[in-house]
Amino acid sequence: MRRTGESAEQYLTSVRSVLEKLETNQILSAAALVANSLRDGGLIHMFGAGHSLLLAIETFFRAGGLVAVNPILDRRLQFDGGVLESTEFERTSDAARDIARDAGFRAGDVGFVASNSGRNVLPVEIAFQMRSARMKVIALTNLAQSKVGNSFHVSGKMLFEIADAVLDNHCPVGDAAVQIPGISVRMGPISTIAGSALLHAVFIEAAAQLAGEGNAPDVFQSVNVGTGALDELRSLVAQYAERIKFYRSPLHRENAMES
């Protein structure tokens, strides 16, 4: 019989173990691509489906985060339309071109595609759409799981096989880390924690490279620090409102669509 707290400790130990495995060389490679894009006025596009969508949200409009981040938040990727429908949507490529067009992919931008398995159709197709737009593609995935799985995409390619740089989250196959006696399936997913750490490390390194050149990128400060005035925040996001729709007001977005 397990003592109280043993399972929780096992999970935290697993988290620490995964974080210790994250590879600096992969972070540096991805950061160089991000820095190159930002240096030339490009954007960072963030795509994930299922719970990988959390990573697009995690890096957007975040205190201590880069401003030039465009999250791809198509409602069909979210759960409010039904969780099974969202899962099914991830396994089709029908909407990929529409998603890419709505996101505004351009040559010189850089795109992150997060998919733990790296096998589902939509993430792979979005990566192909990014490449077609002459963007650099960074895959955030689980290499151990990818290498034992089969792609659902018509190309037969796994996500990591079409990326310019790969961030391996080093999570257990299947993501969950802890086996509880009396429960047949494992618990304790880690991919969101590892993915967040990797993405923030990449952004920090890219920002450090640019700042070292005297070309520091725009970074958010928490509105709950200091006076909390919103005028500076409005001015900051306004610089990116033409390309990042979530920095525009709903009325502004409607008028842009009509025009």
Side-chain angles (χ1 to χ4, degrees):
M1 184 175 181
R2 290 194 168 196
R3 61 178 173 80
T4 302
E6 182 178 353
S7 297
E9 289 176 4
Q10 183 180 349
Y11 176 65
L12 294 176
T13 298
S14 297
V15 170
R16 295 186 191 101
S17 176
V18 165
L19 293 177
E20 288 174 356
K21 293 175 183 175
L22 303 184
E23 300 173 45
T24 302
N25 63 326
Q26 293 183 348
I27 292 168
L28 293 177
S29 296
L33 297 180
V34 171
N36 288 341
S37 179
L38 295 181
R39 187 182 294 113
D40 295 330
L43 285 187
I44 305 165
H45 299 275
M46 306 296 301
F47 178 86
H51 283 89
S52 292
L53 179 66
L54 294 173
L55 297 173
I57 298 171
E58 166 67 21
T59 54
F60 176 64
F61 196 57
R62 189 66 190 263
L66 294 170
V67 180
V69 174
N70 181 39
I72 299 173
L73 304 179
D74 191 291
R75 292 190 67 85
R76 292 166 293 184
L77 296 168
Q78 302 174 44
F79 295 147
D80 57 352
V83 293
L84 296 180
E85 287 77 5
S86 174
T87 300
E88 183 178 1
F89 182 65
E90 188 180 357
R91 296 195 173 193
T92 66
S93 62
D94 298 344
R97 289 186 180 181
D98 290 340
I99 290 173
R101 183 173 58 251
D102 185 58
F105 293 167
R106 291 184 187 175
D109 290 346
V110 64
F112 285 80
V113 181
S115 172
N116 192 58
S117 71
R119 72 189 305 200
N120 284 321
V121 174
L122 188 56
V124 172
E125 184 60 29
I126 290 295
F128 275 121
Q129 292 291 325
M130 290 175 172
R131 293 189 70 88
S132 294
R134 292 183 293 153
M135 294 167 54
K136 295 298 185 182
V137 179
I138 301 170
L140 173 50
T141 192
N142 182 335
L143 285 181
Q145 182 160 339
S146 294
K147 290 176 179 179
V148 298
N150 297 314
S151 176
F152 292 142
H153 192 270
V154 66
S155 69
K157 298 287 189 181
M158 302 294 281
L159 177 61
F160 78 92
E161 296 179 295
I162 55 176
D164 297 289
V166 176
L167 297 170
D168 183 2
N169 64 25
H170 285 279
C171 292
V173 173
D175 201 2
V178 179
Q179 186 69 63
I180 305 296
I183 300 178
S184 62
V185 297
R186 297 171 72 85
M187 296 184 66
I190 304 180
S191 61
T192 304
I193 297 171
S196 295
L198 283 166
L199 291 172
H200 288 304
V202 168
F203 287 2
I204 288 168
E205 180 59 32
Q209 291 178 19
L210 292 169
E213 302 167 3
N215 189 24
D218 290 323
V219 175
F220 284 115
Q221 181 180 28
S222 172
V223 294
N224 295 312
V225 172
T227 64
L230 295 179
D231 289 344
E232 185 176 345
L233 181 61
R234 290 191 183 96
S235 176
L236 189 61
V237 301
Q239 301 174 65
Y240 299 88
E242 180 181 346
R243 294 200 62 198
I244 301 177
K245 66 180 181 180
F246 298 106
Y247 288 156
R248 304 193 292 266
S249 68
L251 180 59
H252 186 168
R253 275 183 259 164
E254 289 176 8
N255 290 339
M257 290 177 65
E258 291 173 358
S259 63

